[in-house]
Amino acid sequence: MNVKQSKTAERNNTDGCYDVERVREDFPVLGQTVHGKPLVYLDNAATAQKPRAVIRRVAEYYETENSNIHRGVHWLSETATRAYEGTRTAVRKFLNAAEEREIVFVRGTTEAINLVARCYGGARLQAGDEVVISAMEHHSNIVPWQLICQEKGAVLRVIPVDDHGDIVMDAYHRLLGPRTRMVALPHVSNALGTVNPIKQMIDDAHRAGVPVLVDGAQGVPHARVDVRALDCDFYAFSSHKLYGPTGVGVLYGKAALLEEMPPYQGGGDMILSVSFEETEYNVLPYKFEAGTPNIAGVIGLGAAVEYVTALGIDAVASHEDRVVAYAVERLARVPGVRLVGTPGRRASLVSFVLGDVHAHDIGTILDQEGIAVRTGHHCAMPVMERFGVPATVRASFACYNTEAEVDVLADGLETAWRLFSGV
Protein backbone atom coordinates (compact mmCIF):
# COMPACT_ATOMS: atom_id res chain seq x y z
CA MET A 1 0.00 0.00 0.00
CA ASN A 2 1.43 3.36 -1.06
CA VAL A 3 -0.73 5.61 1.12
CA LYS A 4 0.65 5.84 4.64
CA GLN A 5 -1.61 4.50 7.40
CA SER A 6 -3.08 6.97 9.87
CA LYS A 7 -1.10 7.88 12.96
CA THR A 8 -4.18 6.91 14.99
CA ALA A 9 -4.07 3.34 13.76
CA GLU A 10 -0.36 3.13 14.39
CA ARG A 11 -0.77 4.46 17.93
CA ASN A 12 -3.62 2.14 18.80
CA ASN A 13 -1.65 -0.82 17.55
CA THR A 14 1.55 0.03 19.42
CA ASP A 15 0.51 1.47 22.77
CA GLY A 16 -2.54 -0.71 23.39
CA CYS A 17 -4.73 2.32 24.22
CA TYR A 18 -7.87 2.65 22.13
CA ASP A 19 -8.49 6.35 21.59
CA VAL A 20 -11.89 6.63 19.93
CA GLU A 21 -11.66 10.40 19.49
CA ARG A 22 -8.49 10.01 17.46
CA VAL A 23 -10.11 7.18 15.49
CA ARG A 24 -12.99 9.52 14.64
CA GLU A 25 -10.53 11.98 13.15
CA ASP A 26 -9.71 9.39 10.48
CA PHE A 27 -13.29 9.48 9.14
CA PRO A 28 -14.02 12.79 7.41
CA VAL A 29 -17.77 12.20 7.06
CA LEU A 30 -18.20 12.26 10.84
CA GLY A 31 -17.22 15.92 11.07
CA GLN A 32 -20.31 17.25 9.30
CA THR A 33 -23.69 18.41 10.55
CA VAL A 34 -27.12 17.16 9.46
CA HIS A 35 -30.13 19.46 9.86
CA GLY A 36 -27.86 21.70 11.91
CA LYS A 37 -26.94 18.92 14.34
CA PRO A 38 -23.66 16.97 14.60
CA LEU A 39 -23.95 13.74 12.64
CA VAL A 40 -24.45 10.63 14.78
CA TYR A 41 -23.97 7.73 12.38
CA LEU A 42 -25.51 4.51 13.74
CA ASP A 43 -26.22 2.66 10.49
CA ASN A 44 -22.99 0.69 10.29
CA ALA A 45 -24.65 -2.69 9.78
CA ALA A 46 -25.88 -1.31 6.45
CA THR A 47 -22.52 0.21 5.52
CA ALA A 48 -19.59 1.57 7.51
CA GLN A 49 -17.93 4.91 6.84
CA LYS A 50 -14.52 5.07 5.16
CA PRO A 51 -11.26 6.29 6.70
CA ARG A 52 -9.01 8.66 4.80
CA ALA A 53 -6.53 5.83 4.22
CA VAL A 54 -9.12 4.01 2.09
CA ILE A 55 -10.37 7.12 0.31
CA ARG A 56 -6.85 8.21 -0.57
CA ARG A 57 -5.80 4.75 -1.72
CA VAL A 58 -8.70 4.53 -4.15
CA ALA A 59 -7.94 8.02 -5.42
CA GLU A 60 -4.26 7.14 -5.77
CA TYR A 61 -5.11 4.14 -7.94
CA TYR A 62 -7.15 6.27 -10.32
CA GLU A 63 -4.62 9.09 -10.31
CA THR A 64 -1.41 7.09 -10.83
CA GLU A 65 -2.08 3.37 -11.49
CA ASN A 66 -5.33 3.08 -13.46
CA SER A 67 -5.09 0.09 -15.78
CA ASN A 68 -6.59 -3.33 -16.31
CA ILE A 69 -4.98 -6.24 -14.50
CA HIS A 70 -3.50 -9.66 -15.36
CA ARG A 71 -3.36 -8.83 -19.07
CA GLY A 72 -0.86 -6.10 -19.75
CA VAL A 73 2.92 -6.19 -19.85
CA HIS A 74 3.25 -2.44 -19.41
CA TRP A 75 4.16 -0.74 -16.16
CA LEU A 76 0.69 0.52 -15.23
CA SER A 77 -0.91 -2.90 -15.68
CA GLU A 78 1.80 -4.64 -13.71
CA THR A 79 1.53 -2.05 -10.92
CA ALA A 80 -2.24 -2.39 -10.73
CA THR A 81 -1.97 -6.18 -10.76
CA ARG A 82 0.48 -6.15 -7.85
CA ALA A 83 -1.83 -3.90 -5.85
CA TYR A 84 -4.89 -6.05 -6.63
CA GLU A 85 -3.14 -9.30 -5.73
CA GLY A 86 -1.66 -7.60 -2.68
CA THR A 87 -5.18 -7.32 -1.33
CA ARG A 88 -5.63 -11.06 -1.81
CA THR A 89 -2.54 -11.62 0.31
CA ALA A 90 -3.80 -9.19 2.96
CA VAL A 91 -7.23 -10.87 3.12
CA ARG A 92 -5.65 -14.33 3.35
CA LYS A 93 -3.66 -13.19 6.36
CA PHE A 94 -6.65 -11.37 7.86
CA LEU A 95 -8.76 -14.56 7.74
CA ASN A 96 -5.80 -16.91 8.35
CA ALA A 97 -6.67 -18.86 5.22
CA ALA A 98 -4.16 -21.51 4.19
CA GLU A 99 -3.65 -20.33 0.60
CA GLU A 100 -4.26 -17.22 -1.47
CA ARG A 101 -6.11 -19.29 -4.08
CA GLU A 102 -8.81 -19.80 -1.44
CA ILE A 103 -9.68 -16.08 -1.60
CA VAL A 104 -12.15 -15.22 -4.37
CA PHE A 105 -13.13 -11.61 -5.04
CA VAL A 106 -16.83 -11.06 -5.68
CA ARG A 107 -19.24 -8.11 -5.56
CA GLY A 108 -20.27 -8.75 -1.97
CA THR A 109 -21.64 -11.31 0.46
CA THR A 110 -24.75 -11.71 -1.67
CA GLU A 111 -22.80 -12.77 -4.75
CA ALA A 112 -20.58 -15.05 -2.67
CA ILE A 113 -23.57 -16.95 -1.32
CA ASN A 114 -25.15 -17.14 -4.76
CA LEU A 115 -21.89 -18.50 -6.14
CA VAL A 116 -21.79 -21.30 -3.57
CA ALA A 117 -25.48 -22.09 -3.93
CA ARG A 118 -25.19 -22.29 -7.71
CA CYS A 119 -21.79 -23.88 -8.17
CA TYR A 120 -21.58 -26.13 -5.11
CA GLY A 121 -25.25 -26.77 -4.42
CA GLY A 122 -26.20 -26.93 -8.06
CA ALA A 123 -23.64 -29.63 -8.75
CA ARG A 124 -24.57 -31.80 -5.77
CA LEU A 125 -28.19 -31.35 -4.72
CA GLN A 126 -30.71 -33.92 -5.85
CA ALA A 127 -34.44 -34.34 -5.30
CA GLY A 128 -35.18 -34.92 -1.63
CA ASP A 129 -31.85 -33.53 -0.38
CA GLU A 130 -31.93 -30.89 2.34
CA VAL A 131 -30.29 -27.52 2.98
CA VAL A 132 -30.35 -26.20 6.55
CA ILE A 133 -30.49 -22.48 7.33
CA SER A 134 -31.76 -20.54 10.35
CA ALA A 135 -34.80 -18.40 11.08
CA MET A 136 -32.58 -15.31 11.53
CA GLU A 137 -31.17 -15.17 8.00
CA HIS A 138 -30.73 -12.12 5.83
CA HIS A 139 -32.63 -12.57 2.59
CA SER A 140 -29.29 -13.10 0.85
CA ASN A 141 -28.89 -16.39 2.70
CA ILE A 142 -32.48 -17.49 2.04
CA VAL A 143 -33.35 -16.72 -1.57
CA PRO A 144 -30.28 -18.30 -3.26
CA TRP A 145 -30.97 -21.58 -1.44
CA GLN A 146 -34.67 -21.39 -2.22
CA LEU A 147 -33.86 -20.98 -5.90
CA ILE A 148 -31.47 -23.91 -6.10
CA CYS A 149 -33.73 -26.12 -3.97
CA GLN A 150 -36.69 -25.39 -6.23
CA GLU A 151 -34.60 -26.18 -9.29
CA LYS A 152 -33.26 -29.45 -7.90
CA GLY A 153 -36.33 -30.60 -5.95
CA ALA A 154 -34.43 -30.25 -2.66
CA VAL A 155 -35.93 -29.11 0.63
CA LEU A 156 -35.04 -26.03 2.69
CA ARG A 157 -35.04 -26.72 6.43
CA VAL A 158 -35.10 -23.88 8.98
CA ILE A 159 -33.62 -23.90 12.50
CA PRO A 160 -35.95 -22.00 14.86
CA VAL A 161 -34.83 -19.21 17.18
CA ASP A 162 -36.12 -18.75 20.71
CA ASP A 163 -37.73 -15.69 22.25
CA HIS A 164 -34.31 -14.22 23.06
CA GLY A 165 -33.16 -14.50 19.45
CA ASP A 166 -30.79 -17.43 19.98
CA ILE A 167 -30.70 -20.51 17.78
CA VAL A 168 -32.43 -23.54 19.29
CA MET A 169 -29.53 -25.97 19.25
CA ASP A 170 -31.57 -29.09 19.97
CA ALA A 171 -33.66 -28.36 16.89
CA TYR A 172 -30.49 -27.83 14.86
CA HIS A 173 -29.18 -31.23 15.86
CA ARG A 174 -32.47 -32.85 14.89
CA LEU A 175 -32.34 -31.23 11.46
CA LEU A 176 -28.90 -32.68 10.67
CA GLY A 177 -30.01 -35.84 8.95
CA PRO A 178 -28.92 -38.30 6.25
CA ARG A 179 -30.27 -36.06 3.47
CA THR A 180 -28.60 -32.85 4.70
CA ARG A 181 -26.17 -31.61 2.05
CA MET A 182 -25.38 -28.07 3.23
CA VAL A 183 -25.67 -25.84 6.29
CA ALA A 184 -25.62 -22.07 5.73
CA LEU A 185 -25.62 -19.78 8.78
CA PRO A 186 -24.98 -16.16 9.79
CA HIS A 187 -22.01 -15.50 12.04
CA VAL A 188 -23.92 -12.55 13.51
CA SER A 189 -27.59 -11.72 12.90
CA ASN A 190 -28.00 -8.41 11.09
CA ALA A 191 -31.45 -7.92 12.63
CA LEU A 192 -30.91 -9.07 16.22
CA GLY A 193 -27.17 -8.82 16.86
CA THR A 194 -27.04 -12.46 17.94
CA VAL A 195 -23.55 -13.97 17.86
CA ASN A 196 -24.10 -17.58 16.90
CA PRO A 197 -21.99 -20.48 18.28
CA ILE A 198 -20.51 -20.95 14.82
CA LYS A 199 -17.59 -23.17 15.82
CA GLN A 200 -19.87 -25.60 17.65
CA MET A 201 -22.37 -25.60 14.78
CA ILE A 202 -19.64 -26.26 12.23
CA ASP A 203 -18.28 -29.15 14.30
CA ASP A 204 -21.77 -30.61 14.68
CA ALA A 205 -22.36 -30.40 10.93
CA HIS A 206 -18.99 -31.93 10.10
CA ARG A 207 -19.69 -34.86 12.38
CA ALA A 208 -22.72 -35.47 10.17
CA GLY A 209 -20.56 -35.13 7.06
CA VAL A 210 -22.12 -31.79 6.05
CA PRO A 211 -20.20 -28.71 4.80
CA VAL A 212 -20.94 -25.26 6.21
CA LEU A 213 -21.11 -21.81 4.68
CA VAL A 214 -20.89 -18.87 7.07
CA ASP A 215 -22.41 -15.50 6.18
CA GLY A 216 -19.82 -13.27 7.80
CA ALA A 217 -21.11 -9.89 6.63
CA GLN A 218 -21.75 -8.84 10.24
CA GLY A 219 -18.98 -10.99 11.70
CA VAL A 220 -15.72 -9.88 10.08
CA PRO A 221 -15.99 -6.18 11.03
CA HIS A 222 -16.57 -6.91 14.71
CA ALA A 223 -14.38 -9.84 15.77
CA ARG A 224 -11.29 -11.78 14.80
CA VAL A 225 -12.13 -14.49 12.26
CA ASP A 226 -9.83 -17.45 11.77
CA VAL A 227 -11.28 -19.68 9.07
CA ARG A 228 -8.88 -22.51 9.80
CA ALA A 229 -9.71 -22.51 13.50
CA LEU A 230 -13.41 -22.41 12.67
CA ASP A 231 -12.87 -25.10 10.02
CA CYS A 232 -15.70 -23.59 7.96
CA ASP A 233 -15.92 -24.73 4.36
CA PHE A 234 -16.98 -21.33 3.00
CA TYR A 235 -16.96 -17.85 4.57
CA ALA A 236 -18.35 -14.73 2.90
CA PHE A 237 -18.10 -11.04 3.75
CA SER A 238 -18.45 -7.58 2.19
CA SER A 239 -15.86 -4.85 1.92
CA HIS A 240 -18.20 -1.94 2.63
CA LYS A 241 -19.06 -3.16 6.13
CA LEU A 242 -15.32 -3.36 6.89
CA TYR A 243 -14.68 0.33 6.08
CA GLY A 244 -13.84 -0.47 2.45
CA PRO A 245 -15.54 0.44 -0.85
CA THR A 246 -18.91 -0.85 -1.96
CA GLY A 247 -19.27 -3.38 -4.76
CA VAL A 248 -16.55 -5.71 -3.46
CA GLY A 249 -16.64 -8.82 -1.31
CA VAL A 250 -14.75 -11.97 -0.50
CA LEU A 251 -15.60 -15.63 -0.68
CA TYR A 252 -13.23 -17.87 1.23
CA GLY A 253 -13.52 -21.52 0.27
CA LYS A 254 -11.44 -24.56 1.03
CA ALA A 255 -9.31 -25.19 -2.01
CA ALA A 256 -10.43 -28.78 -2.47
CA LEU A 257 -14.07 -27.70 -2.65
CA LEU A 258 -13.41 -24.77 -4.96
CA GLU A 259 -11.42 -27.02 -7.29
CA GLU A 260 -14.42 -29.34 -7.69
CA MET A 261 -16.91 -26.55 -8.38
CA PRO A 262 -17.76 -25.41 -11.93
CA PRO A 263 -17.31 -21.71 -12.80
CA TYR A 264 -19.96 -19.22 -11.79
CA GLN A 265 -19.69 -17.03 -14.90
CA GLY A 266 -17.89 -17.25 -18.21
CA GLY A 267 -15.71 -14.58 -19.78
CA GLY A 268 -12.26 -13.09 -19.79
CA ASP A 269 -9.60 -13.96 -17.22
CA MET A 270 -11.35 -17.14 -16.02
CA ILE A 271 -9.98 -19.14 -18.94
CA LEU A 272 -6.69 -20.67 -20.03
CA SER A 273 -7.77 -21.42 -23.59
CA VAL A 274 -10.93 -21.09 -25.65
CA SER A 275 -11.97 -22.67 -28.93
CA PHE A 276 -15.38 -23.21 -30.48
CA GLU A 277 -15.13 -26.83 -29.42
CA GLU A 278 -14.13 -26.45 -25.77
CA THR A 279 -12.82 -24.16 -23.04
CA GLU A 280 -10.12 -24.86 -20.47
CA TYR A 281 -10.71 -22.95 -17.26
CA ASN A 282 -8.14 -20.97 -15.34
CA VAL A 283 -6.70 -22.07 -12.00
CA LEU A 284 -8.05 -20.93 -8.63
CA PRO A 285 -9.12 -18.35 -7.76
CA TYR A 286 -9.36 -16.86 -11.25
CA LYS A 287 -11.81 -19.52 -12.40
CA PHE A 288 -14.44 -17.59 -10.43
CA GLU A 289 -13.36 -14.05 -11.37
CA ALA A 290 -14.68 -13.53 -14.89
CA GLY A 291 -14.27 -10.17 -16.58
CA THR A 292 -12.71 -6.93 -15.44
CA PRO A 293 -13.27 -6.70 -11.67
CA ASN A 294 -13.76 -3.68 -9.44
CA ILE A 295 -10.02 -3.09 -9.33
CA ALA A 296 -10.13 0.16 -7.37
CA GLY A 297 -12.60 -1.38 -4.93
CA VAL A 298 -10.41 -4.40 -4.28
CA ILE A 299 -7.38 -2.17 -3.74
CA GLY A 300 -9.50 -0.06 -1.39
CA LEU A 301 -10.45 -3.21 0.51
CA GLY A 302 -6.76 -3.90 0.96
CA ALA A 303 -6.35 -0.47 2.52
CA ALA A 304 -9.33 -1.14 4.80
CA VAL A 305 -7.85 -4.44 5.96
CA GLU A 306 -4.56 -2.67 6.70
CA TYR A 307 -6.40 0.03 8.62
CA VAL A 308 -8.37 -2.39 10.78
CA THR A 309 -5.30 -4.54 11.35
CA ALA A 310 -3.37 -1.48 12.52
CA LEU A 311 -6.17 -0.48 14.88
CA GLY A 312 -6.30 -4.05 16.17
CA ILE A 313 -9.47 -6.03 15.57
CA ASP A 314 -9.50 -7.22 19.18
CA ALA A 315 -9.30 -3.62 20.40
CA VAL A 316 -12.10 -2.63 18.03
CA ALA A 317 -14.23 -5.52 19.25
CA SER A 318 -13.68 -4.62 22.91
CA HIS A 319 -14.58 -1.00 22.25
CA GLU A 320 -17.75 -1.94 20.36
CA ASP A 321 -18.75 -4.39 23.07
CA ARG A 322 -18.59 -1.58 25.63
CA VAL A 323 -20.68 0.71 23.46
CA VAL A 324 -23.36 -1.86 22.66
CA ALA A 325 -23.57 -2.94 26.32
CA TYR A 326 -24.09 0.68 27.29
CA ALA A 327 -26.73 1.03 24.57
CA VAL A 328 -28.68 -1.95 25.91
CA GLU A 329 -28.61 -0.49 29.43
CA ARG A 330 -29.34 3.10 28.37
CA LEU A 331 -32.19 2.34 25.99
CA ALA A 332 -33.87 0.18 28.61
CA ARG A 333 -34.45 3.41 30.55
CA VAL A 334 -36.21 5.17 27.68
CA PRO A 335 -40.01 5.10 28.04
CA GLY A 336 -41.69 2.94 25.41
CA VAL A 337 -38.54 1.20 24.17
CA ARG A 338 -38.64 -2.59 23.85
CA LEU A 339 -35.61 -4.44 22.57
CA VAL A 340 -36.31 -7.03 19.88
CA GLY A 341 -33.85 -9.78 20.61
CA THR A 342 -32.02 -10.27 23.90
CA PRO A 343 -29.45 -12.90 22.86
CA GLY A 344 -26.92 -14.47 25.15
CA ARG A 345 -24.10 -13.01 23.05
CA ARG A 346 -24.60 -9.76 21.18
CA ALA A 347 -22.38 -7.88 18.76
CA SER A 348 -22.49 -4.45 17.22
CA LEU A 349 -26.21 -3.59 17.19
CA VAL A 350 -29.54 -3.26 18.96
CA SER A 351 -32.99 -3.52 17.39
CA PHE A 352 -36.02 -2.08 19.13
CA VAL A 353 -39.51 -0.68 18.85
CA LEU A 354 -40.95 2.40 20.54
CA GLY A 355 -44.45 1.62 21.71
CA ASP A 356 -46.78 1.30 18.74
CA VAL A 357 -45.01 3.99 16.72
CA HIS A 358 -43.94 2.81 13.28
CA ALA A 359 -40.18 2.48 12.89
CA HIS A 360 -40.12 4.78 9.86
CA ASP A 361 -41.68 7.61 11.86
CA ILE A 362 -39.06 7.18 14.57
CA GLY A 363 -36.29 7.18 12.00
CA THR A 364 -37.60 10.43 10.49
CA ILE A 365 -37.65 12.18 13.86
CA LEU A 366 -34.17 10.92 14.72
CA ASP A 367 -32.88 12.16 11.37
CA GLN A 368 -34.00 15.67 12.31
CA GLU A 369 -31.71 15.33 15.33
CA GLY A 370 -28.79 14.36 13.08
CA ILE A 371 -29.04 10.66 14.00
CA ALA A 372 -28.77 8.06 11.24
CA VAL A 373 -30.35 4.70 12.09
CA ARG A 374 -31.89 1.98 9.94
CA THR A 375 -35.62 1.34 10.04
CA GLY A 376 -37.61 -1.46 8.43
CA HIS A 377 -37.31 -5.22 8.17
CA HIS A 378 -33.54 -5.13 7.50
CA CYS A 379 -33.86 -7.69 4.67
CA ALA A 380 -34.88 -10.19 7.34
CA MET A 381 -38.66 -10.46 7.01
CA PRO A 382 -38.85 -13.90 8.69
CA VAL A 383 -37.22 -12.39 11.79
CA MET A 384 -39.87 -9.68 11.94
CA GLU A 385 -42.58 -12.30 11.59
CA ARG A 386 -41.00 -14.43 14.32
CA PHE A 387 -41.09 -11.52 16.79
CA GLY A 388 -44.48 -10.22 15.69
CA VAL A 389 -43.40 -6.77 14.53
CA PRO A 390 -43.65 -5.13 11.09
CA ALA A 391 -40.29 -3.40 11.47
CA THR A 392 -37.71 -2.28 14.00
CA VAL A 393 -35.32 0.58 14.53
CA ARG A 394 -31.74 -0.65 14.35
CA ALA A 395 -28.79 1.20 15.84
CA SER A 396 -25.51 -0.41 14.83
CA PHE A 397 -22.05 0.51 16.00
CA ALA A 398 -18.53 0.68 14.60
CA CYS A 399 -15.01 1.51 15.70
CA TYR A 400 -15.75 5.25 15.85
CA ASN A 401 -19.01 5.29 17.83
CA THR A 402 -19.15 6.49 21.43
CA GLU A 403 -21.29 6.19 24.54
CA ALA A 404 -22.03 9.91 24.19
CA GLU A 405 -23.66 9.16 20.85
CA VAL A 406 -25.81 6.53 22.55
CA ASP A 407 -26.97 9.27 24.92
CA VAL A 408 -27.90 11.45 21.94
CA LEU A 409 -29.89 8.53 20.51
CA ALA A 410 -31.68 8.01 23.83
CA ASP A 411 -32.53 11.72 24.05
CA GLY A 412 -33.91 11.61 20.51
CA LEU A 413 -36.08 8.61 21.36
CA GLU A 414 -37.40 10.36 24.45
CA THR A 415 -38.35 13.29 22.23
CA ALA A 416 -40.14 10.93 19.85
CA TRP A 417 -41.96 9.24 22.75
CA ARG A 418 -43.22 12.56 24.10
CA LEU A 419 -44.41 13.56 20.65
CA PHE A 420 -46.33 10.37 19.90
CA SER A 421 -47.57 9.56 23.39
CA GLY A 422 -48.73 13.07 24.17
CA VAL A 423 -46.81 13.10 27.45
Side-chain angles (χ1 to χ4, degrees):
M1 177 178 170
N2 294 328
V3 175
K4 191 174 182 180
Q5 277 290 356
S6 75
K7 293 296 183 182
T8 304
E10 291 176 1
R11 259 193 310 268
N12 280 324
N13 196 40
T14 55
D15 65 15
C17 179
Y18 192 88
D19 189 333
V20 67
E21 293 303 326
R22 286 176 173 168
V23 171
R24 290 177 63 83
E25 293 173 1
D26 291 335
F27 292 82
V29 71
L30 300 180
Q32 66 184 305
T33 58
V34 174
H35 303 303
K37 307 289 180 63
L39 172 63
V40 175
Y41 186 78
L42 302 177
D43 195 18
N44 297 284
T47 194
Q49 297 300 336
K50 319 307 173 194
R52 285 187 178 86
V54 170
I55 297 168
R56 289 171 177 167
R57 185 64 187 96
V58 172
E60 181 186 39
Y61 164 75
Y62 281 123
E63 289 174 352
T64 67
E65 301 166 293
N66 183 46
S67 181
N68 215 321
I69 58 170
H70 297 152
R71 298 171 174 87
V73 296
H74 57 80
W75 183 87
L76 280 177
S77 179
E78 291 178 346
T79 301
T81 298
R82 282 195 300 272
Y84 182 90
E85 292 300 331
T87 296
R88 202 184 310 273
T89 300
V91 170
R92 180 196 67 75
K93 294 177 180 177
F94 191 64
L95 297 180
N96 194 33
E99 305 176 67
E100 289 173 14
R101 64 186 183 132
E102 295 179 321
I103 305 300
V104 179
F105 292 129
V106 290
R107 290 180 299 158
T109 305
T110 297
E111 185 175 47
I113 296 171
N114 275 273
L115 190 161
V116 176
R118 173 58 50 188
C119 300
Y120 185 88
R124 288 165 175 77
L125 289 176
Q126 299 179 8
D129 287 344
E130 298 176 354
V131 174
V132 174
I133 62 174
S134 80
M136 66 174 67
E137 303 297 339
H138 188 283
H139 296 164
S140 294
N141 203 34
I142 300 174
V143 179
W145 299 111
Q146 283 180 330
L147 290 171
I148 199 66
C149 284
Q150 289 167 2
E151 179 182 319
K152 298 295 182 178
V155 180
L156 195 65
R157 300 294 190 191
V158 182
I159 315 163
V161 300
D162 64 21
D163 292 341
H164 296 288
D166 289 312
I167 280 178
V168 180
M169 292 297 288
D170 288 345
Y172 172 57
H173 296 148
R174 289 193 296 270
L175 287 173
L176 291 174
R179 299 307 300 269
T180 308
R181 298 292 178 263
M182 171 64 74
V183 170
L185 299 164
H187 197 158
V188 175
S189 166
N190 78 301
L192 302 171
T194 306
V195 180
N196 287 314
I198 288 296
K199 174 58 177 170
Q200 178 183 348
M201 298 182 81
I202 292 168
D203 290 345
D204 292 341
H206 285 176
R207 278 192 290 271
V210 180
V212 179
L213 176 145
V214 179
D215 171 357
Q218 303 295 337
V220 160
H222 307 294
R224 184 178 301 278
V225 173
D226 184 328
V227 293
R228 282 193 277 181
L230 288 174
D231 196 28
C232 55
D233 301 280
F234 301 99
Y235 195 102
F237 74 92
S238 298
S239 162
H240 70 101
K241 299 180 193 297
L242 189 69
Y243 314 104
T246 57
V248 172
V250 169
L251 172 65
Y252 158 80
K254 290 181 177 178
L257 297 179
L258 293 175
E259 289 281 12
E260 296 174 2
M261 292 160 53
Y264 181 54
Q265 296 174 320
D269 218 28
M270 53 77 66
I271 53 87
L272 289 178
S273 66
V274 175
S275 71
F276 289 114
E277 289 72 37
E278 64 178 350
T279 295
E280 182 182 359
Y281 302 126
N282 207 343
V283 297
L284 291 178
Y286 310 111
K287 179 174 72 172
F288 297 107
E289 296 181 4
T292 297
N294 184 349
I295 302 169
V298 169
I299 291 172
L301 169 59
V305 168
E306 283 195 24
Y307 180 82
V308 172
T309 300
L311 280 182
I313 189 64
D314 294 332
V316 170
S318 295
H319 170 75
E320 292 176 352
D321 286 347
R322 288 191 296 272
V323 174
V324 77
Y326 180 72
V328 169
E329 184 274 328
R330 181 67 179 87
L331 295 185
R333 293 188 271 120
V334 175
V337 166
R338 176 173 64 87
L339 294 184
V340 177
T342 54
R345 290 188 61 202
R346 180 194 298 275
S348 74
L349 65 89
V350 290
S351 283
F352 56 90
V353 293
L354 185 70
D356 295 327
V357 184
H358 196 282
H360 294 330
D361 293 330
I362 300 168
T364 300
I365 291 174
L366 292 177
D367 177 61
Q368 293 301 310
E369 299 297 319
I371 306 165
V373 294
R374 182 55 55 107
T375 63
H377 54 66
H378 317 300
C379 294
M381 286 182 171
V383 175
M384 302 298 113
E385 182 178 359
R386 167 64 179 83
F387 285 90
V389 294
T392 68
V393 181
R394 184 183 70 190
S396 50
F397 307 101
C399 67
Y400 39 69
N401 291 122
T402 67
E403 293 178 356
E405 290 181 312
V406 174
D407 289 331
V408 175
L409 170 64
D411 291 343
L413 291 171
E414 289 172 354
T415 298
W417 179 248
R418 288 192 297 270
L419 176 66
F420 285 105
S421 67
V423 175

